[in-house]
């Protein structure tokens, strides 16, 4: 067996060894229970303010049974948790904080391996970032998709359909009484959003990266098989500790290629781009936006799931789950990549393809062609922006129109429904001050609302451009993550009403058709928000732009590099007593 990390805490007969063992015994754990056994931390993002993760206490109990059955000793610990729907101003502001919490908790305590229990959007990337930096053996268990809501006999996703109903209310097609009935029906169970929003995309990506057991991502939250998978994950964590397989062995350039390819094949959330860039940064893998564009050029849409298709993740599970999707794109994957199962991707793949062809396609008959995602650059986005072509209106992917500019979210909320707003279906809606620094935290404001007067005319989509992100459940011709953002001096700050903007997603271009000498005379509006204290002040000061994953500049790079290693004083130090 691999030398146990926990032996540093518990094996010595010196004062630190005495203090550490005594602390465990004070918790009621006998020496027989923990000494000489792999200690498995269960990093639990359960919280009563994170509805999507509310079932994690039960899930942790199942993990615990698996750990004990395999001869390990489980110790559950909490971290900050991030609930997409209740947390303000945006969970993205706190993703890096949670990642730091996870990293330091893993590093500081006597864990030989950890099981990361994540579900709601930012909890999974934060845990992966922290685990990559701590580089202690780790395996992820996501919470699974929630049961689908049913409203007036129609099965619905939480986000995708909701956006349509909200447009119906604004256009006068839905009554407020029906809207309230919808509110009660929208979330019928625990679990993450049941369509291929950000949470399901990240769960899928975890499987693509090889950081969970094959098949674990899509098991519904309320299905008893999720509890069975949790036991298996707990048992496997003991194996990882014994074998010494660490995240740095799994999170390779090939694993990131696999994850991106899988993300594209399922029509996943654009948020995952930012998260993958950040995780790769922690793992020391030189991933750039260009790699997403390259892989998009060869990867078709293979799964018929909302928001790009019709079904929910539950149907993907019944069609064979993520292993069946990976089988369908086997020729596009690095099948020799190692996974935390201890086996390669090839070993984990099923022998045959899915028989549910209306849910998971075959590679020669995909649901949509390649290029579901495009990276665009130009004088409006010098270091890049992204557009999810598979969720856009094809005719708008090449478009030229006059800008209607909103200086920030408040400006947009005040004016977008103004009957006097000078806007037509050809206009290009622009929102700035919505990036990592400007908002701050880069909220999901990128699906700018279509002005009601256009909705009433039957307009369903417009070109929208911002330095914000967009919900993974959203759709529309939305150019997102414009970098550098306006608050970092990006040219988005120089756009004025009426300027012509040219988008060509196929050619990968986004340009402001204003002469350079004219732009040189313009000044961006001053930032309206100032962060003077606490975490938000540090965030604004140290956050990287979206094209680099919005991590903090001081957290990028592998922690085992000499310049990043923790001070040796951490070893053997006894805390207060
Ligand atoms: Fe938590 Fe969608 S809001 S997963």
């Amino acid at each position: 067996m691999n030398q146990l990390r926990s032996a540093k805490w518990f094996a010595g007969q010196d004062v630190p060894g005495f203090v550490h063992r005594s602390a465990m015994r004070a918790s009621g754990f006998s020496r027989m229970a923990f000494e000489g056994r792999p200690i498995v931390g269960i990093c639990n993002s359960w919280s009563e303010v994170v509805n999507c993760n509310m079932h994690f206490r039960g899930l942790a109990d199942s993990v615990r049974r698996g750990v004990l059955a395999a001869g390990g000793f489980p110790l559950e610990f909490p971290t900050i948790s991030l609930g997409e729907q209740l947390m303000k101003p945006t969970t993205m502001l706190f993703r890096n904080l949670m990642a730091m919490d996870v990293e330091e908790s893993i590093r500081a305590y006597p864990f030989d391996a950890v099981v990361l229990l994540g579900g709601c959007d930012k909890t999974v990337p934060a845990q992966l970032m922290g685990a990559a930096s701590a580089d202690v053996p780790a395996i992820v268990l996501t919470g699974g998709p929630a049961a689908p809501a049913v409203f007036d006999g129609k099965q619905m996703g939480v986000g995708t359909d909701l956006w349509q109903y909200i447009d119906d209310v604004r256009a006068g097609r839905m009554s407020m009484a029906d809207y309230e009935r919808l509110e009660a029906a929208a979330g019928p169970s625990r679990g993450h959003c049941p369509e291929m929003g950000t949470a399901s995309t990240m769960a899928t990506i975890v499987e693509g990266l090889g950081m969970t057991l094959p098949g674990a991502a899509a098991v519904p939250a309320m299905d008893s098989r999720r509890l069975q998978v949790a036991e298996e994950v707990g048992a496997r964590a003991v194996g990882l500790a014994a074998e010494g397989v660490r995240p740095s062995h799994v999170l390779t350039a090939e694993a990131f290629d696999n994850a991106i390819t899988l993300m594209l094949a399922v029509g996943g959330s654009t948020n995952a781009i930012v998260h993958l860039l950040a995780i790769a940064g922690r793992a020391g893998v030189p991933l750039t936006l260009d790699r997403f564009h390259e892989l998009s050029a060869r990867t078709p849409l293979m799964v018929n799931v909302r928001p790009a298709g019709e079904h929910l993740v539950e149907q993907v599970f019944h069609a064979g789950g993520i292993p069946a999707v990976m089988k369908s794109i086997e020729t596009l994957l690095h099948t020799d990549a190692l996974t935390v199962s201890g086996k390669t991707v090839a070993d984990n793949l099923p022998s045959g393809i899915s028989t549910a062809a209306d849910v998971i396609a075959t590679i020669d008959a995909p649901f949509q062609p390649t290029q579901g995602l495009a990276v665009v650059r130009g004088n409006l986005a010098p270091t890049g922006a992204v557009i999810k072509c598979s969720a856009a209106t094809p005719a708008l992917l090449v478009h030229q129109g006059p800008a209607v500019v909103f200086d920030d979210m408040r400006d947009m909320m005040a004016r977008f429904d103004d009957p006097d707003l000078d806007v037509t279906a050809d206009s290009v809606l622009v929102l700035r001050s919505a990036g990592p620094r400007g908002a701050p935290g880069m909220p999901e404001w990128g699906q700018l609302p279509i002005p009601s007067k256009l909705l009433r005319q039957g307009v369903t989509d417009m070109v929208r451009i911002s330095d914000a992100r967009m919900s993974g459940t959203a759709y529309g011709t939305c150019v997102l993550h414009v970098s550098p953002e306006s608050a970092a001096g990006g040219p988005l700050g120089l756009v004025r009403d009426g300027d012509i903007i040219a988008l060509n997603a196929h050619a990968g271009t986004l340009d402001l058709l204003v002469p350079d000498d004219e732009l040189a005379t313009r000044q961006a509006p001053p930032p309206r928000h100032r962060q003077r204290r606490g975490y938000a002040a540090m965030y604004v000061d140290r956050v990287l732009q979206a094209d680099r994953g919005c991590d903090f500049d001081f957290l990028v790079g592998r922690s085992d590099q000499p310049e990043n290693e923790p001070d040796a004083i951490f070893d053997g130090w006894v805390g207060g007593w």
Side-chain angles (χ1 to χ4, degrees):
M1 182 159 75
N2 186 55
Q3 168 75 30
L4 290 178
R5 181 173 178 263
S6 59
K8 275 191 186 174
W9 277 259
F10 300 126
Q13 294 307 316
D14 51 6
V15 173
F18 172 86
V19 171
H20 298 146
R21 287 190 301 273
S22 180
M24 293 287 279
R25 296 177 78 169
S27 294
F29 307 137
S30 68
R31 283 181 74 155
M32 171 196 74
F34 66 87
E35 205 171 15
R37 296 180 189 275
I39 307 287
V40 175
I42 304 173
C43 178
N44 196 343
S45 57
W46 174 90
S47 165
E48 273 189 334
V49 284
V50 183
N51 52 299
C52 314
N53 296 8
M54 275 283 282
H55 56 309
F56 280 15
R57 283 179 157 171
L59 217 47
D61 285 342
S62 297
V63 172
R64 207 187 312 276
R65 282 196 298 277
V67 172
L68 290 168
F73 186 69
L75 287 174
E76 187 180 342
F77 65 99
T79 63
I80 182 177
S81 191
L82 312 176
E84 205 60 28
Q85 290 156 331
L86 290 178
M87 199 172 202
K88 292 193 183 303
T90 166
T91 50
M92 187 62 185
L93 181 65
F94 304 107
R95 184 202 64 180
N96 297 351
L97 182 63
M98 182 172 174
M100 292 171 80
D101 188 349
V102 170
E103 173 185 348
E104 302 304 345
S105 293
I106 295 173
R107 181 178 290 124
Y109 283 115
F111 301 131
D112 298 299
V114 285
V115 175
L116 305 162
L117 284 188
C120 198
D121 295 17
K122 306 302 181 299
T123 55
V124 171
Q127 289 179 333
L128 281 169
M129 290 162 69
S133 291
D135 206 24
V136 168
I139 182 168
V140 179
L141 179 67
T142 50
V150 177
F151 183 64
D152 283 348
K154 183 188 166 205
Q155 195 180 73
M156 53 183 264
V158 170
T160 310
D161 298 278
L162 196 57
W163 307 127
Q164 282 164 2
Y165 285 125
I166 286 170
D167 280 351
D168 285 348
V169 172
R170 292 179 49 228
R173 293 189 290 262
M174 184 182 217
S175 71
M176 289 312 290
D178 284 346
Y179 193 45
E180 191 171 327
R181 279 198 307 115
L182 175 68
E183 176 185 303
S189 91
R190 282 92 194 262
H192 58 68
C193 295
E195 63 271 79
M196 195 51 75
T198 302
S200 292
T201 304
M202 289 311 303
T204 301
I205 277 173
V206 166
E207 208 164 317
L209 285 170
M211 286 297 292
T212 191
L213 293 181
V219 185
M222 296 294 110
D223 192 305
S224 59
R225 282 167 284 189
R226 179 147 295 280
L227 299 177
Q228 297 169 40
V229 169
E231 288 189 358
E232 289 164 12
V233 164
R236 183 58 199 142
V238 177
L240 288 171
E243 295 157 21
V245 176
R246 293 182 279 125
S248 56
H249 299 139
V250 176
L251 295 175
T252 60
E254 290 73 23
F256 281 93
D257 271 4
N258 287 347
I260 296 167
T261 302
L262 189 54
M263 177 196 104
L264 294 162
V266 300
S269 163
T270 45
N271 286 326
I273 300 169
V274 181
H275 300 321
L276 277 166
L277 289 165
I279 299 161
R282 299 296 189 97
V285 171
L287 182 64
T288 66
L289 277 180
D290 292 329
R291 192 62 181 148
F292 289 83
H293 195 83
E294 288 163 12
L295 294 175
S296 180
R298 68 171 207 197
T299 310
L301 183 72
M302 298 294 292
V303 181
N304 182 10
V305 63
R306 292 180 223 178
E310 316 168 272
H311 297 295
L312 295 172
V313 176
E314 189 173 298
Q315 279 82 49
V316 179
F317 169 65
H318 293 303
I322 302 307
V325 181
M326 292 177 77
K327 182 70 181 175
S328 75
I329 53 169
E330 184 175 5
T331 55
L332 303 178
L333 298 176
H334 301 285
T335 52
D336 54 349
L338 177 68
T339 76
V340 292
S341 71
K343 299 175 181 168
T344 65
V345 170
D347 295 333
N348 290 339
L349 288 179
S351 53
I353 60 169
S354 172
T355 52
D358 65 320
V359 182
I360 301 174
T362 54
I363 193 74
D364 47 359
F367 294 113
Q368 283 185 30
T370 57
Q371 208 71 67
L373 174 85
V375 175
V376 294
R377 286 194 178 85
N379 70 350
L380 197 49
T383 55
V386 301
I387 178 167
K388 187 173 176 180
C389 305
S390 59
T393 301
L396 289 174
L397 290 172
V398 180
H399 181 80
Q400 196 164 305
V404 174
V405 183
F406 300 104
D407 277 338
D408 62 12
M409 180 63 163
R410 285 200 181 93
D411 181 35
M412 183 180 79
M413 295 309 287
R415 295 196 297 122
F416 80 94
D417 260 350
D418 183 342
D420 295 329
L421 186 70
D422 186 11
V423 64
T424 71
D426 284 336
S427 300
V428 175
L429 302 180
V430 173
L431 173 66
R432 56 191 170 207
S433 294
R437 285 197 215 168
M442 203 184 177
E444 293 182 337
W445 296 339
Q447 188 195 26
L448 280 71
I450 295 172
S452 294
K453 67 178 183 183
L454 296 181
L455 282 178
R456 284 192 287 269
Q457 292 167 21
V459 176
T460 55
D461 195 10
M462 298 172 72
V463 174
R464 296 162 256 183
I465 298 174
S466 72
D467 42 17
R469 296 176 299 115
M470 178 172 87
S471 166
T473 60
Y475 51 86
T477 311
C478 303
V479 178
L480 309 160
H481 311 181
V482 169
S483 302
E485 62 174 309
S486 62
L492 205 61
L494 304 179
V495 187
R496 290 184 182 167
D497 283 342
D499 286 350
I500 302 299
I501 293 176
L503 166 70
N504 187 333
H506 303 309
T509 58
L510 179 68
D511 288 297
L512 181 63
L513 302 185
V514 174
D516 288 346
D517 52 353
E518 159 71 19
L519 286 178
T521 65
R522 294 186 182 179
Q523 280 198 327
R528 296 192 184 187
H529 313 290
R530 289 224 189 107
Q531 310 302 326
R532 293 194 178 87
R533 66 174 298 279
Y535 173 76
M538 182 184 76
Y539 182 93
V540 169
D541 194 35
R542 305 301 293 268
V543 70
L544 296 168
Q545 289 294 288
D547 63 306
R548 298 190 59 200
C550 302
D551 201 359
F552 291 142
D553 54 5
F554 57 87
L555 291 173
V556 176
R558 280 178 57 157
S559 56
D560 60 355
Q561 299 308 298
E563 68 276 14
N564 289 335
E565 270 184 4
D567 196 303
I569 198 168
F570 282 101
D571 281 346
W573 185 258
V574 186
W577 198 22

